[in-house]
Protein backbone atom coordinates (compact mmCIF):
# COMPACT_ATOMS: atom_id res chain seq x y z
CA UNK A 1 0.00 0.00 0.00
CA UNK A 2 1.09 3.52 -0.57
CA UNK A 3 -0.31 6.98 -0.16
CA UNK A 4 0.23 10.12 1.85
CA UNK A 5 -2.42 9.18 4.44
CA UNK A 6 -2.08 5.39 4.45
CA UNK A 7 -0.50 5.37 7.92
CA UNK A 8 -3.43 7.32 9.38
CA UNK A 9 -5.86 4.39 9.54
CA UNK A 10 -5.20 1.90 12.37
CA UNK A 11 -6.93 -0.90 10.45
CA UNK A 12 -4.52 -0.42 7.53
CA UNK A 13 -1.46 -0.18 9.79
CA UNK A 14 -2.35 -3.57 11.26
CA UNK A 15 -2.13 -5.12 7.79
CA UNK A 16 1.40 -3.84 7.14
CA UNK A 17 4.53 -5.85 7.88
CA UNK A 18 6.72 -2.79 7.42
CA UNK A 19 5.50 0.78 7.63
CA UNK A 20 7.67 3.30 5.80
CA UNK A 21 7.52 7.08 5.87
CA UNK A 22 9.37 8.79 3.04
CA UNK A 23 10.57 12.07 4.51
CA UNK A 24 11.22 14.46 1.64
CA UNK A 25 12.42 18.00 2.30
CA UNK A 26 9.72 20.68 2.07
CA UNK A 27 11.61 22.58 -0.63
CA UNK A 28 11.76 19.45 -2.79
CA UNK A 29 8.03 18.87 -2.35
CA UNK A 30 7.10 22.43 -3.25
CA UNK A 31 9.43 22.54 -6.27
CA UNK A 32 8.02 19.26 -7.61
CA UNK A 33 4.49 20.61 -7.15
CA UNK A 34 5.42 23.91 -8.81
CA UNK A 35 6.95 22.18 -11.83
CA UNK A 36 4.02 19.77 -12.22
CA UNK A 37 1.26 22.33 -11.78
CA UNK A 38 2.81 24.99 -14.02
CA UNK A 39 4.06 22.73 -16.82
CA UNK A 40 1.43 20.00 -16.86
CA UNK A 41 -1.64 21.72 -15.48
CA UNK A 42 -1.17 25.19 -16.94
CA UNK A 43 -1.37 27.00 -13.61
CA UNK A 44 0.51 30.16 -12.71
CA UNK A 45 3.33 30.19 -10.19
CA UNK A 46 1.30 32.61 -8.09
CA UNK A 47 -1.70 30.26 -7.93
CA UNK A 48 0.52 27.30 -7.02
CA UNK A 49 2.24 29.28 -4.27
CA UNK A 50 -1.11 30.53 -2.92
CA UNK A 51 -2.55 27.00 -2.85
CA UNK A 52 0.61 25.57 -1.27
CA UNK A 53 0.76 28.14 1.51
CA UNK A 54 -3.00 28.29 2.09
CA UNK A 55 -3.97 24.64 1.82
CA UNK A 56 -1.23 22.12 1.01
CA UNK A 57 1.31 23.06 3.68
CA UNK A 58 -1.20 23.42 6.54
CA UNK A 59 -2.85 20.11 5.60
CA UNK A 60 0.54 18.38 5.41
CA UNK A 61 1.42 19.67 8.88
CA UNK A 62 -1.96 18.73 10.34
CA UNK A 63 -2.60 15.36 8.72
CA UNK A 64 0.43 13.86 6.93
CA UNK A 65 3.38 14.74 9.15
CA UNK A 66 1.82 13.31 12.34
CA UNK A 67 1.54 9.87 10.70
CA UNK A 68 5.33 9.71 10.72
CA UNK A 69 5.13 8.39 14.29
CA UNK A 70 3.47 5.19 13.04
CA UNK A 71 6.34 4.27 10.71
CA UNK A 72 8.78 1.51 11.52
CA UNK A 73 11.34 3.19 9.29
CA UNK A 74 11.64 6.86 8.32
CA UNK A 75 13.53 7.34 5.08
CA UNK A 76 15.11 10.75 4.50
CA UNK A 77 15.96 12.01 1.00
CA UNK A 78 13.14 10.13 -0.72
CA UNK A 79 14.19 8.08 -3.74
CA UNK A 80 17.78 9.30 -3.53
CA UNK A 81 18.55 7.37 -0.35
CA UNK A 82 20.43 4.41 -1.83
CA UNK A 83 21.14 2.79 1.55
CA UNK A 84 17.46 2.77 2.49
CA UNK A 85 16.46 1.46 -0.93
CA UNK A 86 18.98 -1.39 -0.67
CA UNK A 87 17.84 -2.17 2.88
CA UNK A 88 14.17 -2.32 1.86
CA UNK A 89 14.91 -4.39 -1.26
CA UNK A 90 16.87 -6.88 0.84
CA UNK A 91 14.06 -7.15 3.39
CA UNK A 92 11.50 -7.73 0.63
CA UNK A 93 13.66 -10.43 -0.98
CA UNK A 94 14.02 -12.20 2.38
Amino acid sequence: MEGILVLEAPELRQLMDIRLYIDEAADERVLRRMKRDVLKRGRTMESVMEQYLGVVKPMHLQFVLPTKRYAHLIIPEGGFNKVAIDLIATKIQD
Side-chain angles (χ1 to χ4, degrees), residues 7-18:
L7 295 179
E8 181 60 32
E11 56 276 5
L12 291 179
R13 289 195 306 266
Q14 292 175 3
L15 299 173
M16 299 175 194
D17 296 324
I18 302 173

Side-chain angles (χ1 to χ4, degrees), residues 38-71:
V38 170
L39 296 177
K40 295 183 179 178
R41 297 182 178 171
R43 296 183 55 202
T44 65
M45 286 182 54
E46 291 79 17
S47 73
V48 176
M49 290 186 318
E50 185 176 302
Q51 181 190 36
Y52 181 81
L53 293 173
V55 178
V56 176
K57 182 179 178 182
M59 294 299 108
H60 174 80
L61 295 174
Q62 185 175 353
F63 296 108
V64 179
L65 188 59
T67 68
K68 188 178 190 177
R69 71 178 176 260
Y70 301 123

Side-chain angles (χ1 to χ4, degrees), residues 78-90:
F80 297 104
N81 189 326
K82 302 273 189 219
V83 172
I85 292 168
D86 289 344
L87 179 70
I88 296 163
T90 300

